Amino acid sequence: MEQNFELIHRTSFQSNSLLQLQQFCTNFMAKSPEKIFKSLDFTSLPEQSLVQLIKRNDLQMKEIEVWEHVLKWGLARNPTLLSDPNNWSENDFKTMENTLQQLLSLIRFFSLSSKEFLEKVHPFKNLLRRQLYEDLLKSHLDPISDPNNSILPPRKIGIEKIIDTKIVNLEIASTISKWIDKTAIVVNSKFDHLRELYLPYKFQLLLRGSRDGFTPKKFHELCDNISHTVTFIKVKGTEEILGGYNPIIWNSNGGWGKTKDSFIFSFKNNNVKDAIISNVTNDLAINYWNIHGPFFGDDIIIYASGGENTDYDCIWCKKNQYEKRIRDTEDRFSMDDYEVFQIIKR
């Protein structure tokens, strides 16, 4: 059925007696939209099918892509319209609004970033209800104003598409991604929970302690000579998560790995609101040695005193090469688990 999806989909919507088949098609499209939009002439979708699809909370697409596909679908139904809305007349906007009237209210405009709103929505503002557009504008210009209660939440992206983890959630993965790309916003916006998570990277699992062991030798075997890695450490007996980002490679040759783009962090209770980020203050960001694990400056210390084939037994945090403390104490601790990922652009 998946190999002949276009035929199955078209047939299912030709009769109201094929509701289960319609549901199969909608479920498949929601879970794997990229397969459909690459193989299927998206603009041939019946309106009923498109409405069912973009109603879904679990549609695995970025909201900006949903909006762009809806516009493409509307333009295909009005071939006389130019693609550039700057050249549209008032009647052109009215024609397009009528075409999209069942779809516009299903787009989660508040999920979009300010850049996406400015570049992709603002040129089409005449398609939106005036109050909706003003509320959207206010959410970006006055982020501490109160949102109304009728705003649709962002879609639920499946964590398996982003990260295979036993330690963190998608909110933490999103926060780390913002810090890596230096897009974190300082303002405590009341619209943050309505914005789409920032997930430009896939976190590719390299090592999990509970699966691969807790020895330096295994760490270096699986992680050496790989750049752009993120480490998460779950502190035993607490709800603390510690870790760091290393944009350069790991190795076991001894000495320092120098970069100004590394940072370390801590979270409590798997909650991003209590996050601490600490950027490296000089370029002595990474400490290499064969008995070390993911050792950040002299700030996250992790090594095995018994040698590279033994489990880590010396783990603690202090402040040296990085700007802030990420723990209140310099006491040694044990880990429940730790994971190392390479980040890869999606």
Side-chain angles (χ1 to χ4, degrees):
M1 289 175 71
E2 291 180 7
Q3 290 174 350
N4 297 278
F5 183 80
E6 186 170 1
L7 173 63
I8 299 294
H9 179 267
R10 184 172 63 249
T11 304
S12 72
F13 280 88
Q14 289 175 353
S15 169
N16 288 331
S17 64
L18 300 173
L19 296 180
Q20 283 185 300
L21 197 57
Q22 289 178 20
Q23 190 62 47
F24 164 81
C25 290
T26 304
N27 289 344
F28 181 71
M29 291 169 70
K31 292 176 183 175
S32 304
E34 70 286 348
K35 294 180 183 177
I36 302 309
F37 297 142
K38 287 179 181 177
S39 62
L40 176 69
D41 180 6
F42 175 74
T43 58
S44 69
L45 282 177
E47 182 181 48
Q48 180 187 359
S49 174
L50 188 55
V51 166
Q52 286 187 16
L53 180 62
I54 67 173
K55 272 184 176 180
R56 301 273 300 233
N57 284 327
D58 60 347
L59 176 58
Q60 300 298 295
M61 285 180 72
K62 295 179 180 177
E63 201 63 30
I64 193 61
E65 293 174 354
V66 177
W67 172 235
E68 288 174 335
H69 277 95
V70 165
L71 289 173
K72 181 180 177 182
W73 183 87
L75 285 169
R77 276 155 175 68
N78 297 284
T80 60
L81 288 183
L82 300 173
S83 59
D84 185 355
N86 291 318
N87 296 319
W88 288 5
S89 66
E90 187 177 337
N91 285 336
D92 290 337
F93 275 103
K94 196 65 181 174
T95 298
M96 187 63 138
E97 184 182 359
N98 289 336
T99 301
L100 302 180
Q101 59 180 324
Q102 301 298 319
L103 302 166
L104 289 173
S105 63
L106 303 176
I107 305 295
R108 307 185 185 205
F109 290 109
F110 286 90
S111 293
L112 303 179
S113 68
S114 296
K115 181 179 173 65
E116 290 168 338
F117 170 74
L118 179 63
E119 294 180 357
K120 303 294 186 178
V121 177
H122 173 70
F124 295 94
K125 67 178 183 178
N126 289 338
L127 291 178
L128 308 184
R129 290 182 293 104
R130 182 176 176 180
Q131 187 60 53
L132 171 61
Y133 181 79
E134 288 181 356
D135 288 346
L136 282 167
L137 194 61
K138 188 176 182 181
S139 76
H140 293 288
L141 297 179
D142 184 15
I144 61 171
S145 61
D146 292 316
N148 66 56
N149 296 324
S150 62
I151 298 173
L152 290 171
R155 300 182 197 274
K156 297 177 180 177
I157 301 299
I159 192 169
E160 66 280 354
K161 285 182 172 284
I162 306 299
I163 184 170
D164 172 14
T165 178
K166 296 185 180 299
I167 297 178
V168 301
N169 57 31
L170 275 182
E171 286 76 17
I172 288 179
S174 174
T175 300
I176 296 298
S177 298
K178 287 180 181 179
W179 287 341
I180 290 170
D181 287 351
K182 298 179 170 59
T183 62
I185 298 173
V186 176
V187 176
N188 187 20
S189 170
K190 292 185 178 180
F191 292 83
D192 281 348
H193 67 290
L194 297 170
R195 302 290 186 225
E196 200 168 55
L197 293 177
Y198 184 77
L199 299 167
Y201 300 107
K202 178 173 178 61
F203 288 66
Q204 187 69 44
L205 182 65
L206 302 176
L207 177 151
R208 175 177 292 136
S210 56
R211 181 191 71 183
D212 303 309
F214 294 88
T215 67
K217 184 174 182 179
K218 184 57 71 173
F219 167 72
H220 289 293
E221 179 184 310
L222 296 177
C223 302
D224 274 8
N225 300 310
I226 297 175
S227 63
H228 301 94
T229 59
V230 176
T231 299
F232 296 110
I233 300 166
K234 177 69 169 60
V235 179
K236 192 169 187 176
T238 76
E239 293 302 316
E240 283 183 275
I241 297 168
L242 311 174
Y245 168 63
N246 177 16
I248 58 177
I249 65 168
W250 295 103
N251 71 56
S252 55
N253 299 333
W256 290 96
K258 296 184 177 182
T259 174
K260 293 185 181 298
D261 294 322
S262 180
F263 58 83
I264 57 176
F265 53 80
S266 68
F267 298 91
K268 294 180 180 178
N269 302 310
N270 232 334
N271 190 335
V272 298
K273 290 183 179 179
D274 298 322
I276 298 172
I277 177 175
S278 182
N279 292 301
V280 66
T281 54
N282 54 46
D283 61 358
L284 303 179
I286 307 298
N287 200 320
Y288 298 136
W289 201 11
N290 68 323
I291 65 168
H292 287 178
F295 200 115
F296 289 84
D298 275 321
D299 299 65
I300 295 183
I301 295 97
I302 173 170
Y303 67 93
S305 63
E308 64 180 356
N309 291 306
T310 63
D311 286 353
Y312 303 121
D313 59 348
C314 298
I315 313 170
W316 73 95
C317 297
K318 56 183 180 179
K319 180 187 176 301
N320 276 299
Q321 274 76 33
Y322 289 78
E323 62 184 356
K324 300 176 190 173
R325 292 183 180 274
I326 59 170
R327 289 197 92 208
D328 296 332
T329 174
E330 294 185 7
D331 292 346
R332 294 190 181 193
F333 61 88
S334 299
M335 62 173 80
D336 271 334
D337 208 347
Y338 84 117
E339 297 171 337
V340 183
F341 299 87
Q342 183 182 33
I343 59 164
I344 302 168
K345 274 285 187 183
R346 294 171 64 201

